[in-house]
Amino acid sequence: MTFTEFLLANGDGNLAEYLETVNDIEPIPDAFFNPPYEKLKMYYVTGGMPEPVKMWTEARDVDAMQEALSGIINAYERDFAKHPNVSEFPKISMIWKSVPSQLARENKKFIYKVVKEGARAREYEDALQWLVDARLVHKIYRSTALGLPVAAYDDLSAFKIYLVDVGLLRRLAQLSPTAFGEGNRLFTEFKGALAENFVLQTLITQFEVTPRYWTQINPPCEVDFLIQRENDVFPVEIKAEANTASKSLKKIKELFPGQVKLRVRFSLNNLKLDDDMLNIPLFMADQTDRLIGLALKKYIHPEYIF
């Protein structure tokens, strides 16, 4: 269930309808800007799985919602034992439980030794692939350049792992639902991992090609995601705090000036197009594909805007 579908289930159809009909890159009025962020915090708590969402939207029962998420996680963990090779079961379980720790790191690149001290790729790669094939985790490769197709530039030795659902990540990380009422804590908790996971799961539903990410060692910088939209590649950064300075987006444009038509930033700030920088409020992540289209017309072909 997407965030838009969550709004509908929660009785906020007016908000969902408004966000889906925004047809210009202009700031959202306060009446429609502040409420979705409160709803998005709740979505971070429940996630998009039908049962936890139902426990919240129909019963407003936080304990039942927590139990529903725990039940889903337990069911998944029981499924690990169904792997044809019994010896893979503990490896699958350890990788699964390591995801919050992996995402809590400043550099979110997947590290096998976080799973188990001394662990090596060849010992655990089959277990990890099982989780990917079961569609319980998303595996995002590092890209060495901005080129088409993006798969041609994959560094297969470097990747990040995200859970299929932000609510499952929140529950697996044992972050209490009370964080919902603590300002922007849910957006910033453990290096903004919930925000990144949320954005990724929305991008995967909108674009045919799985996103990648990009890093540079000297000077050190990282772009959270690269998305291929038709025959363009767009760098994406997620900012879950008030500071939205984007050194990495600046650097990648300097290195690949001909390939970067538009830079995309998700943040707590309002919808805005500043030169070639499109700022999308986190609660509008479901509208990314459409908003990029609008921004390209406005920035590259302003004569088409009436």
Side-chain angles (χ1 to χ4, degrees), residues 16 73 164 185 198 203 207 258 264 296 302:
I73 290 172
V164 71
R185 183 183 173 191
F198 164 69
L203 295 179
F207 299 97
V264 180
L296 287 174

Side-chain angles (χ1 to χ4, degrees), residues 205-219:
T205 64
Q206 294 175 71
F207 299 97
E208 182 179 2
V209 180
T210 301
R212 269 61 172 178
Y213 76 102
W214 176 85
T215 62
Q216 177 182 270
I217 297 175
N218 190 19

Side-chain angles (χ1 to χ4, degrees), residues 238-251:
I238 293 94
K239 293 288 188 179
E241 300 184 55
N243 180 14
T244 56
S246 300
K247 293 181 180 179
S248 296
L249 288 183
K250 180 179 179 181
K251 189 64 179 178

